[in-house]
C-alpha cells in the first residue's frame, strides 16, 4: 500500500523571476534569474544539485524540445535532466518529478524549474498552434478563452444563474486578484481595477471579457528540494514540506459520454479528493488556509471553488460575491495576484504558485502576508474543460 | 416508365442586397445602378460547390427515402478540385456507399442538362436511382455585371424507373461552338462577349433549333408546354425565346435573378425544382440548357408529383434567407481582396492525406460508433468504448450520425481565435440517441445560440490549406430555429 508523498520531501529554496513583458530577456535569462534566487535561498552550490526536471509548455514558440535548454542555460554539470510537458500543469509536473526523485532516494537534492517565453510570438493570448494531426482534423479551432467560456454556459444552465449575477461574480474575482497583485512586485499587472471596468470590457469569448482573462507574459520559477533530514543537516529550520501531489487526466468521457454537463471540471474533482486523502485532509474548508488556483479565466476560478469542495455546488457564485475568497475572506485565493496578474507562462505557473505558498509560510510575503498560514493548495488545469489535465499540490509547514 | 423520381434544392442563406454592390461600385460604372434591384445568394466562407451539392443531395434523398442510388453525377464549372473526383467527396458525405458510378461533368453551362439527358437515356436499363447534383459557386470581377446578376446555389434530381414524378418523353441537343464566354485553364474568372450578340445569335437561334426538333420528335405542340425552363442572366431573353417558339408567356419559369441570381450550371436544375414544386399531374415541362448549343428535355408530371416533396425544396431554400449589406465581406469570402487575417490566421494548416484517409468515415461521412456490448453511441469511433461502465475493446459498429438532431450543451462566441467570419461559434453538442462532440457552429445569427438550442448537421469547409492548395471538410452544427 502506497503511503503517499506527505512530509517526505521539503523545499530547500525557491526562486521566481519577475513576470511580465520581458522583451530584453531570453528564456535562458529568465531561467537564471529564477535559479540564482533559488540557489541563494537554498544556500547550496550548483554542484550539489544531482538531478533536474525542466518544465516548458509550448515547444515550437519557446525553448524547443529536450532537457538541454535548461542544462545549457544553467551550465549544469552533465546531471540527469528530464523535460516534462503536461500543458498548463507543466510547472507542477516538473516539481512532481523532482520531489518523487528525492522521495525515492534516487538523489539527495533535485531541481525543478519551469519557464515560458510567451511574448516572443508576436501577439496577445496563447499562440495559435496545431494540436496534432488527428485532433486538427475535426476539433474546433478554439482559443483558450473560447474553451473556458463554455463553463459559463454550462454552469448557468445547470443552476439557473442569471447572466448578470454570474458576470458580476466573475468581475469580483478579477477585481480581487488585481487588488492582490497590486501588492506584489513580481506580478506582471500591478494595478487595481473596478467591477465596472471588468463588466463593461469587450468580449473575448462570450461571456468572457478582457478582464476575465489572465495576462500573457514571460516568466520562470524554480524549487530546490531534498529530504527533511538533509535540509536540517544543511542548517535549515522552519521547513516547508510537500503534503500531496496529484494529477488527473481526462479519458475523453466528459467530451464523449453523456454524464458531464459542462458546469465543472471532472479531473479537478478527482485530483482534489486524491490530494486531500494523500495529505490527510478531511475538512478542506477548515484546514486549507490559502489557495492558488488556475484562474486562466475568472469563470475557471469560480467553478474550481466547487470542484475543490471549498464551496457547495451551485453556491460559488454567491460565495465569491460574499468575499469568501478575498484577501480577508475565509480562504484567500490568489493572494499573490494569480494568473490574472502574473500572466500564464505555462511552464512556470505551477511553480510560481508554490513559490507564493513558500513565501507565506516563511512570513516573507510583504504587504500581502497572511496571518500564520499552515496549509496551501495549488491547482493547475491544462487543456480545456471538456478534455484536460489537472494537477494539485498541497504544501504546508513541516510539523 | 423512367423519369424523375425526386428533387432537392439548396440556396445559401446569405442574400446580399444588390444595392450594396451598386453603392460600392457605381462611382466607376453608373450602369450597375440599373441592376441594383433585389438580392443575390452568396456562399458563406465555408461553403463551396461540394458542400452545396451535398445539401441539395440530402434534400433530394429526404424525398427518395431509402431507395438505392446507383450513380452520382456532379455537374459544375466551379469544382474545387481539378484532379480529385469531387463527386466522390459528395457521395461519401451522403453516405451512398462504395459501389456506385460517380462522375464529374464540367466545362459548359449545360453540363447539368447534358448529364441529366445521359441519366434519363440510361435510366430505362438501370436499377435503382441515379442522382444528379448541380452546383455552382461562381467568381466574378469586383464591380462587374456578373457580380450583380449571378448567385450561388445547388440542386439535385434523382432519376429512376419507379415512383416517377415526371415522366421522360425525350430530348434533343443542338451543338455549336458559340463562345459567349470562356474561362481558360489559368483563370478563375470568366471572360464574356457582348450581351446583344449572345441574345440574338445565341439564345434566339440555338434554343428554338433544339426545341423544335424535340417537339417534332415527341409530337408535342409548343402551346401545350406548361413550364418552360431557360436559365439566363438576361432578364428578358427567356420570354423572347418562348415567344419565338410559340410557348405561352405564363409558361416561362421565373429566373429569380432578383432573389437568387443565376447559379450557372446549377440554374436550369434549380429552376426545374421550382417548377416541379408547383407542377400538376399531366403538366408538360420543357427544360433547356444553353451553352455552346442547347439541350432540351421534355417531361410530363405524373400523379405521384404532389405526394413526393423534399424536406426543404426550392421554396423552403428560397425562404430561408439572411439579408446582408456587407459588400466587403462578400469580396473577402470570395477571395477577391487580399485580407489581413492577423497572426493567428498565419498558422500553417498542413494536409495530412494519410491520416485524413484513415479518418474519412468520421470526416466526410460523420460516422460514429455504437457499442455492441452496451449500446453507447460515440463519435469519433475509437478502440475502447467511452462508457466507463463498459470500456469494451473493438466493440463499435459504424453509426452514421449526419442526420442526427443535436442539442447545444455548452457554447461560446470566440473573438480571439482565427475565423473567416468572427466570432467563431463552437460548443459541445449532444446528439439524440447518444454521442456528443465539441463542434464548430455555422450560420449562427447574433442571439441565436444558447444552451439547449436544437442544431442540425451540415457538411462544410473546415479549413483551407493555402500553401498546398487543399481544403478540408467536416461537419458543423447550425441552429434549427432562427
Amino acid at each position: 500500500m502506497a503511503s503517499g508523498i506527505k512530509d517526505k520531501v521539503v523545499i530547500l529554496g525557491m526562486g521566481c523571476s519577475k513576470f511580465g513583458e520581458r522583451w530584453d530577456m531570453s528564456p535562458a535569462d529568465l531561467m537564471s534569474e529564477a535559479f540564482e534566487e533559488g540557489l541563494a535561498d537554498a544556500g547550496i552550490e550548483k554542484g550539489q544539485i544531482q538531478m533536474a526536471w525542466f518544465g516548458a509548455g509550448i515547444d515550437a514558440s519557446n525553448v524547443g524540445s529536450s532537457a538541454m535548454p535548461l542544462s545549457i542555460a544553467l551550465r549544469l554539470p552533465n546531471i540527469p535532466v528530464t523535460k516534462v510537458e503536461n500543458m498548463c500543469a507543466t510547472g507542477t509536473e516538473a516539481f512532481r518529478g523532482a520531489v518523487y526523485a528525492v522521495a525515492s532516494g534516487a538523489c539527495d537534492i533535485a531541481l525543478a524549474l519551469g519557464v515560458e517565453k510567451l511574448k516572443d510570438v508576436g501577439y496577445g493570448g496563447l499562440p495559435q498552434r496545431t494540436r496534432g494531426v488527428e485532433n486538427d482534423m475535426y476539433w474546433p479551432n478554439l482559443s483558450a478563452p473560447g474553451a473556458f467560456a463554455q463553463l459559463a454556459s454550462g454552469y448557468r444552465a445547470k443552476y439557473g444563474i442569471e447572466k448578470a449575477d454570474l458576470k458580476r461574480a466573475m468581475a469580483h474575482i478579477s477585481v480581487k486578484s488585481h487588488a492582490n497583485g497590486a501588492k506584489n512586485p513580481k506580478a506582471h499587472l500591478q494595478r487595481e481595477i473596478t467591477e465596472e471596468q471588468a463588466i463593461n470590457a469587450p468580449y473575448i469569448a462570450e461571456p468572457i471579457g478582457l478582464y476575465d482573462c489572465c495576462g500573457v507574459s514571460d516568466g520562470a520559477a524554480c524549487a530546490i528540494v531534498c529530504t527533511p533530514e538533509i535540509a536540517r543537516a544543511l542548517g535549515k529550520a522552519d521547513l516547508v514540506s510537500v503534503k500531496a501531489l496529484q494529477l488527473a487526466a481526462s479519458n475523453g468521457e466528459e467530451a464523449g459520454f453523456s454524464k458531464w454537463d459542462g458546469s465543472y471540471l471532472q479531473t479537478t474533482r478527482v485530483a482534489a479528493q486524491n490530494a486531500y486523502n494523500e495529505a490527510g485532509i478531511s475538512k478542506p474548508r477548515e484546514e486549507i488556509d490559502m489557495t492558488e488556483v488556475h484562474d486562466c479565466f475568472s469563470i475557471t476560478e469560480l467553478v474550481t471553488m466547487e470542484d475543490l469542495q471549498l464551496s457547495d455546488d451551485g453556491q460559488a457564485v454567491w460565495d465569491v460575491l460574499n468575499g469568501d475568497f478575498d484577501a480577508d475572506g475565509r480562504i484567500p485565493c490568489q493572494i499573490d495576484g494569480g494568473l490574472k496578474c502574473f500572466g500564464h507562462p505555462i511552464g512556470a505557473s505551477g511553480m510560481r504558485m508554490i513559490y507564493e505558498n513558500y513565501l507565506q509560510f516563511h512570513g516573507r510575503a510583504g504587504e500581502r502576508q497572511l496571518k500564520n498560514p499552515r496549509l496551501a493548495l495549488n491547482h493547475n488545469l491544462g487543456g480545456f474543460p471538456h478534455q484536460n489535465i489537472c494537477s494539485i499540490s498541497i504544501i504546508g509547514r513541516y510539523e | 416508365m423512367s423519369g424523375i423520381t425526386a428533387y432537392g434544392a439548396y440556396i445559401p442563406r446569405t442574400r446580399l442586397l444588390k444595392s450594396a454592390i451598386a453603392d460600392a461600385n457605381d462611382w466607376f460604372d453608373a450602369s450597375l445602378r440599373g441592376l441594383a434591384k433585389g438580392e443575390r445568394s452568396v456562399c458563406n466562407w465555408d461553403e463551396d460547390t461540394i458542400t452545396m451539392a451535398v445539401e441539395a443531395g440530402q434534400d433530394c434523398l429526404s424525398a427518395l427515402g431509402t431507395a438505392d442510388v446507383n450513380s452520382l453525377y456532379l455537374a459544375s464549372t466551379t469544382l474545387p478540385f481539378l484532379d480529385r473526383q469531387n463527386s466522390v467527396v459528395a457521395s461519401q458525405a451522403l453516405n451512398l456507399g462504395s459501389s456506385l458510378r460517380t462522375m464529374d461533368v464540367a466545362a459548359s453551362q449545360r453540363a447539368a442538362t447534358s448529364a441529366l439527358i445521359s441519366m434519363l437515356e440510361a435510366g430505362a436499363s438501370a436499377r435503382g436511382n441515379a442522382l444528379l447534383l448541380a452546383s455552382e459557386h461562381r467568381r466574378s470581377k469586383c464591380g462587374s455585371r456578373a457580380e450583380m446578376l449571378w448567385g450561388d446555389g445547388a440542386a439535385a434530381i434523382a432519376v429512376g424507373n419507379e415512383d416517377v414524378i415526371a415522366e421522360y418523353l425525350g430530348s434533343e441537343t443542338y451543338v455549336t461552338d458559340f463562345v459567349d464566354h470562356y474561362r481558360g485553364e489559368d483563370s478563375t474568372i470568366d471572360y464574356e462577349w457582348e450581351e446583344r450578340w449572345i441574345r440574338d445569335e445565341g439564345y434566339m437561334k440555338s434554343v428554338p433549333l433544339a426545341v423544335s426538333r424535340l417537339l417534332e420528335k415527341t409530337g408535342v405542340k409548343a402551346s401545350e408546354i406548361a413550364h418552360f425552363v431557360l436559365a439566363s442572366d438576361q432578364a428578358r431573353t427567356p420570354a423572347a425565346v418562348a415567344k419565338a417558339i410559340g410557348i405561352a408567356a405564363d409558361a416561362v419559369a421565373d429566373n429569380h435573378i432578383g432573389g437568387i441570381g443565376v447559379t450557372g450550371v446549377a440554374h436550369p436544375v434549380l429552376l426545374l425544382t421550382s417548377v416541379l414544386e408547383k407542377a400538376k399531374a399531366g403538366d408538360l415541362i420543357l427544360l433547356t440548357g444553353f451553352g455552346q448549343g442547347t439541350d432540351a428535355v421534355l417531361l410530363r408530371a405524373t400523379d405521384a408529383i404532389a405526394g413526393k416533396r423534399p424536406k426543404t425544396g426550392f421554396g423552403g431554400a428560397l425562404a430561408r434567407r439572411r439579408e446582408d449589406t456587407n459588400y466587403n465581406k462578400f469580396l473577402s469570402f470570395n477571395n477577391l481582396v487580399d485580407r489581413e487575417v492577423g497572426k493567428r490566421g498565419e498558422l500553417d494548416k498542413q494536409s495530412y492525406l494519410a491520416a485524413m484517409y484513415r479518418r474519412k468515415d468520421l470526416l466526410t461521412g460523420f460516422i460514429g460508433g455504437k457499442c455492441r456490448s452496451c449500446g453507447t453511441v460515440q463519435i469519433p469511433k475509437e478502440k475502447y468504448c467511452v462508457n466507463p461502465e463498459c470500456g469494451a475493446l473493438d466493440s463499435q459498429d459504424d453509426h452514421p450520425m449526419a442526420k442526427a438532431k443535436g442539442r447545444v450543451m455548452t457554447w461560446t462566441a470566440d473573438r480571439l481565435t482565427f475565423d473567416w467570419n468572427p466570432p467563431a461559434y463552437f460548443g459541445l453538442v449532444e446528439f439524440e440517441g447518444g454521442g456528443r462532440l465539441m463542434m464548430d457552429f455555422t450560420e449562427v445569427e447574433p442571439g441565436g445560440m444558447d444552451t439547449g438550442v436544437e442544431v442540425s448537421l451540415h457538411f462544410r469547409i473546415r479549413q483551407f490549406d493555402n500553401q498546398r492548395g487543399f481544403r478540408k471538410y467536416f461537419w458543423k452544427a447550425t441552429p434549427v430555429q432562427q
Side-chain angles (χ1 to χ4, degrees), chain A residues 204-206, chain B residues 412-417 419 421-426 441 444 446:
Chain A
I204 303 296
E206 287 177 34
Chain B
T412 190
D414 191 335
R415 286 171 169 77
L416 183 66
T417 193
D419 195 273
N421 189 24
Y425 285 89
F426 47 76
F441 302 154
V444 181

Side-chain angles (χ1 to χ4, degrees), chain B residues 7 32 44 48 78 100 102 122 130 140 152 190 197 210 221 232-233 298 312 314 343 347 362 413 417 439 447 458:
Chain B
Y7 58 94
L32 294 176
N44 201 342
D48 67 7
T78 50
L100 73 164
T102 57
S140 48
D152 304 324
D190 293 357
W197 174 73
K221 291 188 191 115
S232 172
D233 59 20
L298 193 64
T312 305
F314 178 83
K343 291 209 166 35
L347 184 69
L362 167 70
T417 193
M439 297 188 77
H458 303 270

Side-chain angles (χ1 to χ4, degrees), chain A residues 124 136 139 141 143 204 206, chain B residues 344 410 412 414-415 417 462:
Chain A
D136 276 355
W139 276 25
N141 191 25
S143 72
I204 303 296
E206 287 177 34
Chain B
R344 288 176 185 277
T410 66
T412 190
D414 191 335
R415 286 171 169 77
T417 193
R462 210 184 93 68

Side-chain angles (χ1 to χ4, degrees), chain B residues 1 30 59 67 80 83 88 95-96 101 112 119 122 130 137 169 236 267 301 319 353 366-367 392 394 442 446 464 472:
Chain B
M1 188 201 299
D59 194 36
D83 193 346
V88 172
N95 282 315
L96 296 179
R101 184 183 307 140
M119 291 161 61
H137 178 201
L169 301 180
R236 296 197 182 108
H267 213 55
L353 299 180
F366 207 65
I367 293 170
D394 290 331
T442 190
F464 294 100
K472 299 173 227 178

